[in-house]
Amino acid sequence: EDQEWLRNQLDGKGLVAFVPDGAVLPRSSGRLDTPLMHNSVPFKTPDAFRVSFALPCRGKEISGMGIKKGVTVIVGGGFHGKSTLLRALEVGVYNKIPGDGREYVVVDPTSVKIRSEDRRSITDVNINPFINNIPMGRSTSQFSTPDASGSTSQAANIIEALEVGATTLLIDEDTSATNFMSRDAAMRKLVPDRFEPITPLVERIRGLHGS
């Protein structure tokens, strides 16, 4: 009950997620969902993001990291746990059993993990906010294909998630289409904007948050 209660408190606190101090986020292997107990580092909250809640059933206070509504970018070097944190957040819509290690890791119940899915089928999805002027004059306002590319699939996944009411999107660079996420100065010199059909996510993200 406390996990469900905690999840329901996020919106009123202006948060989309909460990760408690001491949580064990890494899994024992890529095939198993049990916590990594050997040499794992329990989660520790940066002071700037610390929030606390008084759990009604346990009758004790829990402290951890609150992720505020808005656009949050998780950065760090390789093997620093960015994807591990995102994977824990992905399943934060579910309550955990004791011993999982991610008890009380909770997110907005409407949150959705967004990734590219090469070769997925798309039917009548308006991906025009991200992709237009594609070859052969194909419409992107009612886009259909049995064999999507990485960028068109990720665009469709975002639009579909928003259409069903998702208010929090979780996106990992490792499982995203690179050309969908951003375009640097070098690429803009090689392919001018007027010839590029993709408007990258970094140029739309503020508008998505404000809509």
Side-chain angles (χ1 to χ4, degrees):
E1 293 85 355
D2 277 337
Q3 294 183 51
E4 195 69 35
W5 177 87
L6 184 59
R7 190 176 295 107
N8 290 334
Q9 303 310 301
L10 295 175
D11 185 59
K13 291 276 190 178
L15 304 175
V16 295
F18 174 80
V19 183
D21 287 323
V24 178
L25 305 183
R27 300 295 89 186
S28 57
S29 77
R31 297 180 296 106
L32 300 174
D33 205 33
T34 51
L36 176 66
M37 303 307 297
H38 180 64
N39 290 333
S40 63
V41 178
F43 186 82
K44 183 179 179 181
T45 301
D47 289 339
F49 298 97
R50 185 174 302 281
V51 295
S52 298
F53 296 89
L55 299 177
C57 295
R58 292 182 65 189
K60 63 179 291 185
E61 186 173 87
I62 187 171
S63 178
M65 181 177 72
I67 300 178
K68 295 182 179 180
K69 295 179 180 181
V71 180
T72 298
V73 181
I74 300 170
V75 298
F79 302 98
H80 277 61
K82 303 181 298 296
S83 292
T84 299
L85 173 58
L86 279 169
R87 282 194 292 269
L89 293 175
E90 287 171 31
V91 295
V93 295
Y94 305 113
N95 296 333
K96 313 298 185 308
I97 62 173
D100 178 271
R102 300 167 299 186
E103 300 96 324
Y104 306 108
V105 175
V106 295
V107 296
D108 165 16
T110 74
S111 66
V112 174
K113 163 67 184 294
I114 298 295
R115 59 169 299 155
S116 65
E117 293 183 276
D118 296 77
R119 307 190 68 181
R120 66 153 284 190
S121 174
I122 300 173
T123 302
D124 294 337
V125 178
N126 180 12
I127 61 172
N128 191 258
F130 299 104
I131 300 173
N132 51 57
N133 298 325
I134 58 177
M136 296 178 287
R138 297 175 63 191
S139 170
T140 56
S141 60
Q142 256 188 317
F143 185 74
S144 297
T145 179
D147 188 17
S149 67
S151 56
T152 55
S153 66
Q154 193 160 358
N157 285 342
I158 289 177
I159 298 301
E160 289 169 339
L162 296 175
E163 286 179 346
V164 297
T167 57
T168 300
L169 305 180
L170 305 172
I171 304 174
D172 190 340
E173 182 183 27
D174 287 350
T175 55
S176 295
T178 303
N179 62 342
F180 180 78
M181 298 296 288
S182 65
R183 294 187 74 219
D184 61 18
M187 280 303 302
R188 290 182 188 275
K189 286 183 178 180
L190 290 169
V191 182
D193 288 350
R194 67 181 182 276
F195 297 125
E196 174 55 61
I198 301 172
T199 301
L201 180 64
V202 293
E203 296 181 17
R204 293 291 193 216
I205 195 70
R206 287 291 180 186
L208 286 175
H209 172 240
S211 62

